[in-house]
Each structure stands twice: as C-alpha cells, then as structure tokens.
C-alpha cells in the first residue's frame, strides 16, 4: 500500500487553476521517480473554499497524528504573481 499526499489550493483566479492542471497533472516528482513511480493527479475538490475545508478536516484522524510533520500545514500566501510570471518555486518544478 502506498502513502498518498494531498494539497488543497484556493486559487484567486481561474487562470491559476488551469495552469496548475497543465503543470502538475501526470507530473512525476523527481524525488519519487525511481522509488515508487508516483504520479500526480489534479482534480477539483468536492469541498470548496478554505473555511469549509478547515472545518471538514478539523476533527479528522490526520490532525491527531503522533508525528507533527504528518499533520496538515495551512499556508496563507498573499503575494500574487501572474500566471505569465512564474515564481522561483514554479520554475524549479519544471
């Protein structure tokens, strides 16, 4: 059985969501290419919005994981960069 990781991203513009799907869907992360062959799959979340997701996962088992590094991390990044101007992190993924 494989471990699965999730990322929930609240896009502020539809163009960002489209770009995310283009870049990450079927993406093979360098760290896992030889070991497990993990491939990213991008889909629309069944729960929409930051507050709704926080409420839904507040009492889930993952929030009480013994190891802190296995618990969810919530980031609020207010700096915006247009899809035509990739950030350093986006450049690194390619």
């Amino acid at each position: 059985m494989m471990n699965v990781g999730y990322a929930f991203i609240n896009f502020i513009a539809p163009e960002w969501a489209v770009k995310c799907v283009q870049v990450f869907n079927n993406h093979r992360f360098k760290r896992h290419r030889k070991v497990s062959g993990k491939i990213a799959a991008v889909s629309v979340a069944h729960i929409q919005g930051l507050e709704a997701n926080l409420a839904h996962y507040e009492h889930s088992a993952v929030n009480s994981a013994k190891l802190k590094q296995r618990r969810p991390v919530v980031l609020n990044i207010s700096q915006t960069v247009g899809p035509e101007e990739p950030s350093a992190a986006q450049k690194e993924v390619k």
Side-chain angles (χ1 to χ4, degrees):
M1 184 171 166
M2 277 193 190
N3 291 334
V4 177
Y6 295 93
F8 297 94
I9 303 171
N10 188 30
F11 294 102
I12 58 173
E15 299 84 29
W16 279 101
V18 170
K19 185 68 174 175
C20 179
V21 171
Q22 291 171 345
V23 171
F24 286 106
N25 201 41
N26 296 316
H27 179 77
R28 289 181 181 263
F29 292 93
K30 289 179 185 178
R31 183 181 214 181
H32 302 288
R33 282 187 185 155
K34 293 181 182 176
V35 178
S36 67
K38 290 184 179 183
I39 301 172
V42 179
S43 62
V44 176
H46 67 282
I47 299 172
Q48 292 293 307
L50 176 62
E51 295 301 323
N53 272 283
L54 291 175
H56 178 77
Y57 290 101
E58 182 177 12
H59 301 293
S60 66
V62 72
N63 276 330
S64 59
K66 289 181 181 179
L67 297 174
K68 193 174 183 178
Q69 65 265 32
R70 293 188 179 162
R71 294 181 191 161
V73 175
V74 177
L75 304 173
N76 182 3
I77 302 171
S78 59
Q79 179 183 4
T80 58
V81 178
E84 66 285 345
E85 304 171 29
S87 68
Q90 290 172 320
K91 290 177 185 175
E92 187 177 309
V93 169
K94 293 179 181 179

